[in-house]
mmCIF file of all heavy atoms in Angstrom:
data_model
loop_
_atom_site.group_PDB
_atom_site.id
_atom_site.type_symbol
_atom_site.label_atom_id
_atom_site.label_comp_id
_atom_site.label_asym_id
_atom_site.label_seq_id
_atom_site.Cartn_x
_atom_site.Cartn_y
_atom_site.Cartn_z
ATOM 1 N N ARG L 396 253.942 73.735 140.446
ATOM 2 C CA ARG L 396 255.383 73.552 140.476
ATOM 3 C C ARG L 396 255.864 73.524 141.817
ATOM 4 O O ARG L 396 255.442 74.204 142.784
ATOM 5 C CB ARG L 396 255.994 74.637 139.673
ATOM 6 C CG ARG L 396 255.986 74.560 138.148
ATOM 7 C CD ARG L 396 256.664 75.636 137.415
ATOM 8 N NE ARG L 396 256.737 75.388 136.001
ATOM 9 C CZ ARG L 396 257.733 74.873 135.407
ATOM 10 N NH1 ARG L 396 258.823 74.487 136.019
ATOM 11 N NH2 ARG L 396 257.722 74.653 134.074
ATOM 12 N N ASN L 397 256.943 72.624 142.027
ATOM 13 C CA ASN L 397 257.484 72.563 143.415
ATOM 14 C C ASN L 397 258.627 73.493 143.414
ATOM 15 O O ASN L 397 258.962 74.374 142.516
ATOM 16 C CB ASN L 397 257.968 71.173 143.687
ATOM 17 C CG ASN L 397 258.834 70.590 142.600
ATOM 18 O OD1 ASN L 397 259.450 71.323 141.757
ATOM 19 N ND2 ASN L 397 259.024 69.258 142.651
ATOM 20 N N GLU L 398 259.409 73.512 144.515
ATOM 21 C CA GLU L 398 260.491 74.410 144.717
ATOM 22 C C GLU L 398 261.607 74.289 143.625
ATOM 23 O O GLU L 398 262.171 75.243 143.180
ATOM 24 C CB GLU L 398 261.105 74.152 146.133
ATOM 25 C CG GLU L 398 262.298 75.042 146.504
ATOM 26 C CD GLU L 398 262.943 74.677 147.762
ATOM 27 O OE1 GLU L 398 262.130 74.139 148.640
ATOM 28 O OE2 GLU L 398 264.176 74.773 147.902
ATOM 29 N N GLU L 399 261.931 72.979 143.341
ATOM 30 C CA GLU L 399 262.945 72.729 142.429
ATOM 31 C C GLU L 399 262.568 73.195 140.980
ATOM 32 O O GLU L 399 263.483 73.760 140.166
ATOM 33 C CB GLU L 399 263.258 71.344 142.288
ATOM 34 C CG GLU L 399 263.862 70.806 143.640
ATOM 35 C CD GLU L 399 264.226 69.302 143.607
ATOM 36 O OE1 GLU L 399 263.905 68.671 142.526
ATOM 37 O OE2 GLU L 399 264.771 68.750 144.549
ATOM 38 N N ALA L 400 261.303 73.125 140.634
ATOM 39 C CA ALA L 400 260.834 73.541 139.214
ATOM 40 C C ALA L 400 260.697 75.084 139.210
ATOM 41 O O ALA L 400 260.733 75.678 138.095
ATOM 42 C CB ALA L 400 259.550 72.841 138.887
ATOM 43 N N LEU L 401 260.443 75.711 140.327
ATOM 44 C CA LEU L 401 260.264 77.146 140.241
ATOM 45 C C LEU L 401 261.585 77.959 140.332
ATOM 46 O O LEU L 401 261.658 79.081 139.975
ATOM 47 C CB LEU L 401 259.309 77.586 141.448
ATOM 48 C CG LEU L 401 257.926 77.627 141.267
ATOM 49 C CD1 LEU L 401 257.068 77.997 142.542
ATOM 50 C CD2 LEU L 401 257.443 78.554 140.137
ATOM 51 N N GLU L 402 262.566 77.332 140.953
ATOM 52 C CA GLU L 402 263.804 78.023 141.121
ATOM 53 C C GLU L 402 264.471 78.590 139.845
ATOM 54 O O GLU L 402 264.815 79.758 139.863
ATOM 55 C CB GLU L 402 264.806 77.133 141.929
ATOM 56 C CG GLU L 402 265.991 77.856 142.415
ATOM 57 C CD GLU L 402 267.149 77.973 141.458
ATOM 58 O OE1 GLU L 402 267.182 76.991 140.503
ATOM 59 O OE2 GLU L 402 267.992 78.896 141.518
ATOM 60 N N PRO L 403 264.580 77.781 138.765
ATOM 61 C CA PRO L 403 265.173 78.321 137.531
ATOM 62 C C PRO L 403 264.362 79.501 136.926
ATOM 63 O O PRO L 403 264.971 80.441 136.430
ATOM 64 C CB PRO L 403 265.254 77.184 136.648
ATOM 65 C CG PRO L 403 265.153 75.918 137.498
ATOM 66 C CD PRO L 403 264.273 76.383 138.579
ATOM 67 N N LEU L 404 263.073 79.321 136.905
ATOM 68 C CA LEU L 404 262.060 80.361 136.379
ATOM 69 C C LEU L 404 262.264 81.614 137.229
ATOM 70 O O LEU L 404 262.319 82.757 136.661
ATOM 71 C CB LEU L 404 260.749 79.814 136.301
ATOM 72 C CG LEU L 404 259.698 80.787 135.717
ATOM 73 C CD1 LEU L 404 260.070 81.200 134.285
ATOM 74 C CD2 LEU L 404 258.294 80.157 135.727
ATOM 75 N N LEU L 405 262.183 81.571 138.539
ATOM 76 C CA LEU L 405 262.197 82.749 139.413
ATOM 77 C C LEU L 405 263.690 83.429 139.218
ATOM 78 O O LEU L 405 263.779 84.650 139.196
ATOM 79 C CB LEU L 405 261.931 82.467 140.834
ATOM 80 C CG LEU L 405 260.490 82.227 141.160
ATOM 81 C CD1 LEU L 405 260.373 81.770 142.554
ATOM 82 C CD2 LEU L 405 259.610 83.433 140.824
ATOM 83 N N SER L 406 264.679 82.658 139.212
ATOM 84 C CA SER L 406 266.065 83.182 138.971
ATOM 85 C C SER L 406 266.179 83.955 137.624
ATOM 86 O O SER L 406 266.750 85.003 137.611
ATOM 87 C CB SER L 406 267.085 82.100 139.024
ATOM 88 O OG SER L 406 267.030 81.470 140.319
ATOM 89 N N PHE L 407 265.525 83.376 136.595
ATOM 90 C CA PHE L 407 265.497 84.097 135.391
ATOM 91 C C PHE L 407 264.702 85.397 135.436
ATOM 92 O O PHE L 407 265.239 86.449 134.907
ATOM 93 C CB PHE L 407 264.942 83.166 134.225
ATOM 94 C CG PHE L 407 264.757 83.836 132.933
ATOM 95 C CD1 PHE L 407 265.827 84.052 132.067
ATOM 96 C CD2 PHE L 407 263.516 84.317 132.565
ATOM 97 C CE1 PHE L 407 265.675 84.702 130.877
ATOM 98 C CE2 PHE L 407 263.302 84.846 131.293
ATOM 99 C CZ PHE L 407 264.448 85.043 130.479
ATOM 100 N N CYS L 408 263.583 85.396 136.041
ATOM 101 C CA CYS L 408 262.794 86.577 136.182
ATOM 102 C C CYS L 408 263.619 87.643 137.080
ATOM 103 O O CYS L 408 263.630 88.849 136.692
ATOM 104 C CB CYS L 408 261.496 86.262 136.946
ATOM 105 S SG CYS L 408 260.419 85.301 135.841
ATOM 106 N N ILE L 409 264.238 87.190 138.133
ATOM 107 C CA ILE L 409 265.011 88.188 138.951
ATOM 108 C C ILE L 409 266.184 88.801 138.152
ATOM 109 O O ILE L 409 266.430 90.050 138.295
ATOM 110 C CB ILE L 409 265.520 87.435 140.187
ATOM 111 C CG1 ILE L 409 264.353 87.069 141.128
ATOM 112 C CG2 ILE L 409 266.575 88.295 140.983
ATOM 113 C CD1 ILE L 409 264.778 86.142 142.258
ATOM 114 N N ARG L 410 266.686 88.000 137.293
ATOM 115 C CA ARG L 410 267.869 88.653 136.557
ATOM 116 C C ARG L 410 267.576 89.543 135.382
ATOM 117 O O ARG L 410 268.167 90.527 135.172
ATOM 118 C CB ARG L 410 268.696 87.452 136.096
ATOM 119 C CG ARG L 410 270.018 87.840 135.358
ATOM 120 C CD ARG L 410 270.842 86.700 134.972
ATOM 121 N NE ARG L 410 272.102 87.077 134.319
ATOM 122 C CZ ARG L 410 272.989 86.208 133.892
ATOM 123 N NH1 ARG L 410 272.897 84.860 134.014
ATOM 124 N NH2 ARG L 410 274.068 86.660 133.258
ATOM 125 N N TYR L 411 266.439 89.258 134.755
ATOM 126 C CA TYR L 411 266.102 89.918 133.493
ATOM 127 C C TYR L 411 264.799 90.761 133.561
ATOM 128 O O TYR L 411 264.359 91.287 132.562
ATOM 129 C CB TYR L 411 265.981 88.862 132.306
ATOM 130 C CG TYR L 411 267.324 88.217 131.975
ATOM 131 C CD1 TYR L 411 267.543 87.019 132.467
ATOM 132 C CD2 TYR L 411 268.219 88.883 131.218
ATOM 133 C CE1 TYR L 411 268.708 86.402 132.163
ATOM 134 C CE2 TYR L 411 269.402 88.256 130.816
ATOM 135 C CZ TYR L 411 269.669 86.996 131.263
ATOM 136 O OH TYR L 411 270.834 86.376 130.976
ATOM 137 N N VAL L 412 264.182 90.847 134.768
ATOM 138 C CA VAL L 412 262.954 91.615 134.765
ATOM 139 C C VAL L 412 263.138 93.085 134.550
ATOM 140 O O VAL L 412 262.225 93.777 134.118
ATOM 141 C CB VAL L 412 262.227 91.338 136.185
ATOM 142 C CG1 VAL L 412 263.082 92.003 137.219
ATOM 143 C CG2 VAL L 412 260.804 91.807 136.103
ATOM 144 N N THR L 413 264.383 93.597 134.771
ATOM 145 C CA THR L 413 264.631 95.021 134.560
ATOM 146 C C THR L 413 265.257 95.236 133.194
ATOM 147 O O THR L 413 265.560 96.365 132.906
ATOM 148 C CB THR L 413 265.612 95.506 135.675
ATOM 149 O OG1 THR L 413 266.720 94.747 135.660
ATOM 150 C CG2 THR L 413 264.944 95.427 137.010
ATOM 151 N N ASP L 414 265.487 94.220 132.507
ATOM 152 C CA ASP L 414 266.006 94.354 131.047
ATOM 153 C C ASP L 414 264.940 94.986 130.209
ATOM 154 O O ASP L 414 263.903 94.351 130.101
ATOM 155 C CB ASP L 414 266.513 93.063 130.465
ATOM 156 C CG ASP L 414 267.375 93.158 129.305
ATOM 157 O OD1 ASP L 414 267.063 94.093 128.457
ATOM 158 O OD2 ASP L 414 268.441 92.482 129.189
ATOM 159 N N PRO L 415 265.229 96.117 129.527
ATOM 160 C CA PRO L 415 264.165 96.585 128.654
ATOM 161 C C PRO L 415 263.580 95.678 127.540
ATOM 162 O O PRO L 415 262.472 95.748 127.163
ATOM 163 C CB PRO L 415 264.857 97.813 127.982
ATOM 164 C CG PRO L 415 265.994 98.157 128.936
ATOM 165 C CD PRO L 415 266.433 96.871 129.462
ATOM 166 N N LYS L 416 264.411 94.678 127.075
ATOM 167 C CA LYS L 416 263.990 93.780 126.064
ATOM 168 C C LYS L 416 262.891 92.727 126.605
ATOM 169 O O LYS L 416 262.085 92.323 125.759
ATOM 170 C CB LYS L 416 265.153 93.052 125.404
ATOM 171 C CG LYS L 416 266.121 93.832 124.714
ATOM 172 C CD LYS L 416 267.149 93.047 123.969
ATOM 173 C CE LYS L 416 268.031 92.248 124.966
ATOM 174 N NZ LYS L 416 269.056 91.432 124.236
ATOM 175 N N TYR L 417 263.030 92.466 127.898
ATOM 176 C CA TYR L 417 262.159 91.477 128.419
ATOM 177 C C TYR L 417 261.271 92.001 129.546
ATOM 178 O O TYR L 417 260.438 91.202 130.056
ATOM 179 C CB TYR L 417 262.990 90.264 128.962
ATOM 180 C CG TYR L 417 264.094 89.881 128.052
ATOM 181 C CD1 TYR L 417 265.413 89.936 128.415
ATOM 182 C CD2 TYR L 417 263.772 89.231 126.824
ATOM 183 C CE1 TYR L 417 266.472 89.475 127.617
ATOM 184 C CE2 TYR L 417 264.746 88.828 126.010
ATOM 185 C CZ TYR L 417 266.108 88.965 126.378
ATOM 186 O OH TYR L 417 267.178 88.532 125.520
ATOM 187 N N ALA L 418 261.380 93.239 129.845
ATOM 188 C CA ALA L 418 260.653 93.784 131.047
ATOM 189 C C ALA L 418 259.044 93.558 130.879
ATOM 190 O O ALA L 418 258.434 93.143 131.818
ATOM 191 C CB ALA L 418 260.974 95.217 131.283
ATOM 192 N N ALA L 419 258.561 93.950 129.800
ATOM 193 C CA ALA L 419 257.089 93.977 129.581
ATOM 194 C C ALA L 419 256.558 92.515 129.703
ATOM 195 O O ALA L 419 255.560 92.217 130.342
ATOM 196 C CB ALA L 419 256.781 94.522 128.161
ATOM 197 N N LEU L 420 257.331 91.545 129.147
ATOM 198 C CA LEU L 420 256.871 90.164 129.239
ATOM 199 C C LEU L 420 256.982 89.571 130.606
ATOM 200 O O LEU L 420 256.064 88.913 131.231
ATOM 201 C CB LEU L 420 257.582 89.248 128.205
ATOM 202 C CG LEU L 420 257.363 87.817 128.295
ATOM 203 C CD1 LEU L 420 255.927 87.490 127.940
ATOM 204 C CD2 LEU L 420 258.331 87.070 127.369
ATOM 205 N N LEU L 421 258.186 89.791 131.232
ATOM 206 C CA LEU L 421 258.522 89.273 132.504
ATOM 207 C C LEU L 421 257.677 89.810 133.642
ATOM 208 O O LEU L 421 257.411 89.156 134.715
ATOM 209 C CB LEU L 421 260.021 89.382 132.855
ATOM 210 C CG LEU L 421 260.903 88.561 131.903
ATOM 211 C CD1 LEU L 421 262.316 88.696 132.352
ATOM 212 C CD2 LEU L 421 260.494 87.122 131.918
ATOM 213 N N LEU L 422 257.238 91.120 133.535
ATOM 214 C CA LEU L 422 256.418 91.667 134.517
ATOM 215 C C LEU L 422 254.947 90.929 134.497
ATOM 216 O O LEU L 422 254.447 90.624 135.666
ATOM 217 C CB LEU L 422 256.122 93.177 134.264
ATOM 218 C CG LEU L 422 257.334 94.053 134.643
ATOM 219 C CD1 LEU L 422 256.969 95.505 134.240
ATOM 220 C CD2 LEU L 422 257.578 94.008 136.131
ATOM 221 N N ARG L 423 254.605 90.550 133.424
ATOM 222 C CA ARG L 423 253.294 89.777 133.350
ATOM 223 C C ARG L 423 253.553 88.395 133.881
ATOM 224 O O ARG L 423 252.641 87.782 134.576
ATOM 225 C CB ARG L 423 252.747 89.688 131.885
ATOM 226 C CG ARG L 423 252.438 91.103 131.298
ATOM 227 C CD ARG L 423 252.067 90.981 129.880
ATOM 228 N NE ARG L 423 250.740 90.359 129.736
ATOM 229 C CZ ARG L 423 249.944 90.240 128.618
ATOM 230 N NH1 ARG L 423 250.505 90.693 127.546
ATOM 231 N NH2 ARG L 423 248.791 89.657 128.712
ATOM 232 N N VAL L 424 254.704 87.826 133.644
ATOM 233 C CA VAL L 424 254.976 86.543 134.195
ATOM 234 C C VAL L 424 254.987 86.502 135.778
ATOM 235 O O VAL L 424 254.445 85.655 136.386
ATOM 236 C CB VAL L 424 256.295 85.895 133.590
ATOM 237 C CG1 VAL L 424 256.695 84.611 134.267
ATOM 238 C CG2 VAL L 424 256.203 85.698 132.110
#
Side-chain angles (χ1 to χ4, degrees):
R396 285 179 171 265
N397 54 15
E398 175 185 333
E399 296 179 356
L401 272 176
E402 192 273 333
L404 180 59
L405 286 175
S406 299
F407 174 77
C408 292
I409 293 170
R410 183 174 181 180
Y411 293 100
V412 70
T413 57
D414 194 320
K416 294 188 297 183
Y417 314 115
L420 174 65
L421 293 184
L422 284 175
R423 301 181 67 175
V424 174

